[in-house]
Amino acid sequence: MRTGRKLTALAAVGLLAMAGCGDGGADAGGSGPGGMKPPAVDKLASLGTGEGQVNIVAWAGYVEDGSNDPKVDWVTDFEKQTGCQVNVKLAGTSDEMVTLMKTGEYDVVSASGDASLRLIYGGDVAPVNTDLISNYKDVFDGLKLKQWNSVDGVAYGIPHGRGANLLMYRTDVVKPAPTSWGAVFDPNSPYKGKITAYDSPIYIADAALYLMKTQPDLGIKNPYALDDKQFNAAVDLLKKQNDLIGEYWSDYTKEVQAFKAGNSVLGTTWQVIANLATADKAPVDAILPEEGATGWSDTWMISAKSKHPNCAYRWMDHIISPKANAAVAEWFGEAPSNKLACAETADKNHCKTYHADDEAYFEKVWYWNTPVQQCLDGRTDVKCKDYAAWTQAWTTIKG
């Protein structure tokens, strides 16, 4: 599951220096925020014979071969059909994934939005020739060619799945039912000491999103693009919230138990956590608040130094095929990226539960992205706070 997806401190510090490396050729995809150009890296022109293996860096739960649960296996058939043996290295953080991909020893990675830009501008991943991915045509349009998986209309990855960071509450305690993120920021909250928040610098974006909707004078247009004034406002809000927090969480199992025991009654969550808590008979509900929410969308990316590119492409095509994409979405707890996967899930309500085909729902979701000095909202007259600054601020927020 998504255990350990706590971001750590080695984030985008070197991104700006790396952005200047190389010239942006046709396959480099033009320019990104503030005119940044990725290094020129060629994409695979045509699919050849498989090399016999593929080395993968992935989140736990994304590459299952039946060893954890005999019923959960979308690797064995792939190996039989392609002759490509799957070797997987599980990573606990986005920073670990970036570090591993820089070694050149791995072919593909399941990168989150807080890692993908670092990989692109570091020259560690190559553009993807989507013409060679037969299942790409069936990926929801809402996931294609986005800021975290493309540059200037050039795809740098294959969308895997997505989800929103929701507001969960104990229905027997929190009354009336909350409709806004204001419930977790209210300095006079009667639930002081029992409010929880995600333990990561990226949570600053949640505060920024709330301010974007409630304090428009700040001029926030993108919760990952914050100038000094906007950033300080978000940090100040979170410092005040710290007095309300009983505990910060990064391990989903601990949040399930906290809500079940009543130690937490209100705070951020994922849909899978709400499902597990409900299955454990905890009286909870989870909503997408009126302001919208942050969220995540993972992308399969291929190494610029891949030694097994043909097997890598076959893997990326397989993992978003309807049956495999349905299986991983159910096991992991997320919305699949392939619209045809919804007909293949064992739970026929899975895609409804996770809003897989509800683009109006996901239009309210700001997916995790890597904050960089070149503002992601397109402003060029100011510098935005990069992820290193976010990391430093998170330490002060938690005291």
Side-chain angles (χ1 to χ4, degrees), residues 48-99:
T49 304
E51 299 86 0
Q53 64 177 318
V54 60
N55 299 325
I56 301 173
V57 176
W59 296 111
Y62 272 12
V63 186
E64 293 293 321
D65 62 1
S67 56
N68 288 320
D69 183 332
K71 297 178 181 178
V72 181
D73 182 359
W74 47 88
V75 170
T76 301
D77 284 347
F78 168 78
E79 291 178 327
K80 290 178 180 178
Q81 292 166 6
T82 65
C84 300
Q85 179 182 335
V86 172
N87 306 308
V88 62
K89 169 71 173 178
L90 299 182
T93 68
S94 287
D95 292 338
E96 186 180 353
M97 287 188 172
V98 172
T99 299

Side-chain angles (χ1 to χ4, degrees), residues 204-223 225-238 240 377 379 382 384:
I204 294 172
D206 292 59
L209 174 64
Y210 177 68
L211 293 173
M212 182 169 74
K213 300 296 185 180
T214 59
Q215 294 187 28
D217 290 348
L218 285 170
I220 299 174
K221 303 300 182 185
N222 181 322
L226 305 177
D227 61 30
D228 284 348
K229 181 180 178 181
Q230 296 164 343
F231 184 75
N232 290 336
V235 170
D236 287 344
L237 180 61
L238 291 172
K240 293 174 182 175
D377 59 7
R379 286 178 294 168
V382 295
C384 285

Side-chain angles (χ1 to χ4, degrees), residues 21 50 55 58 82 126 141 162 204 250 285 331 349 357 377 383:
C21 300
N55 299 325
T82 65
D141 289 339
R162 57 181 167 175
I204 294 172
S250 58
D285 194 9
W331 176 249
N349 290 318
D357 56 357
D377 59 7
K383 286 186 177 181

